[in-house]
Amino acid sequence: FALDLYPDDFVESAAVNGDGNSNVEDSVSYNNGLYFRDDSAATGSELWSIDENDNLRLELDLNEGEASSSVDYVTVFQNKICFRGDDGTVGSIWCYDPTDGSVVQVPGPNGRFLFVWNNKLFWNGEGDDGWEPWVWDGNNASQVANLNSDVGSDGSYPYGWTDYQGR
């Protein structure tokens, strides 16, 4: 294995999938390791990691077995690896603690486009008003605002979060 300037391309595909095909995406560096989503026939789309010694590991199989957990939008928040995923019962935002293996379901709706800012986790969540911005501080989650000016539509569908001058 070798890390390069493009972390989404670093994993030798045969190591995870075994058939020469790989779908490595959403990589994030944390605590001397790289965490990412990849697919295998045995587990589906799951959370994997590789450490500085090239040790490849299936970190979490949220929907155990061959069924996919549909891991996506991997990011680090409050020393946990957070992502969108499905445990076979519910699709949601989840946070995994690699130090003890615990997993928590983030309160609030399922969503996408996770972004950490000002020690809070933001995402585009699908709630009663359609797709709107949501925030979680590690304890409480809430809809940030209803930006939807078109009543009856699918929401404002925010994405592309960025920090501009601390706002």
Side-chain angles (χ1 to χ4, degrees):
F1 296 100
L3 299 179
D4 59 28
L5 295 177
Y6 305 98
D8 283 345
D9 299 328
F10 81 94
V11 176
E12 182 179 314
S13 61
V16 171
N17 207 354
D19 65 3
N21 296 312
S22 189
N23 191 18
V24 174
E25 292 184 9
D26 296 322
S27 62
V28 63
S29 176
Y30 174 70
N31 201 22
N32 296 319
L34 197 61
Y35 293 80
F36 57 94
R37 180 202 87 176
D38 201 355
D39 299 324
S40 84
T43 64
S45 172
E46 305 299 343
L47 183 65
W48 291 79
S49 72
I50 189 169
D51 66 19
E52 70 274 12
N53 297 316
D54 294 337
N55 296 310
L56 184 65
R57 173 182 161 156
L58 174 61
E59 283 290 331
L60 180 65
D61 188 353
L62 191 63
N63 188 2
E64 294 182 359
E66 293 178 5
S68 179
S69 299
S70 302
V71 170
D72 214 353
Y73 305 107
V74 180
T75 192
V76 176
F77 173 65
Q78 295 183 351
N79 298 315
K80 294 174 180 59
I81 309 299
C82 298
F83 57 92
R84 177 180 73 169
D86 192 318
D87 68 353
T89 304
V90 64
S92 188
I93 306 299
W94 303 86
C95 290
Y96 167 72
D97 187 337
T99 61
D100 65 12
S102 63
V103 181
V104 296
Q105 182 181 359
V106 174
N110 192 9
R112 51 182 68 143
F113 309 118
L114 279 65
F115 174 72
V116 176
W117 179 70
N118 201 22
N119 202 32
K120 295 179 181 165
L121 180 67
F122 291 82
W123 72 96
N124 177 358
E126 187 176 25
D128 293 338
D129 297 319
W131 291 95
E132 297 293 338
W134 282 75
V135 62
W136 184 51
D137 63 7
N139 295 306
N140 301 301
S142 61
Q143 185 173 328
V144 175
N146 182 352
L147 303 177
N148 183 9
S149 60
D150 184 11
V151 176
S153 77
D154 291 333
S156 60
Y157 204 79
Y159 68 96
W161 308 99
T162 190
D163 179 2
Y164 177 71
Q165 297 181 348
R167 298 186 282 165

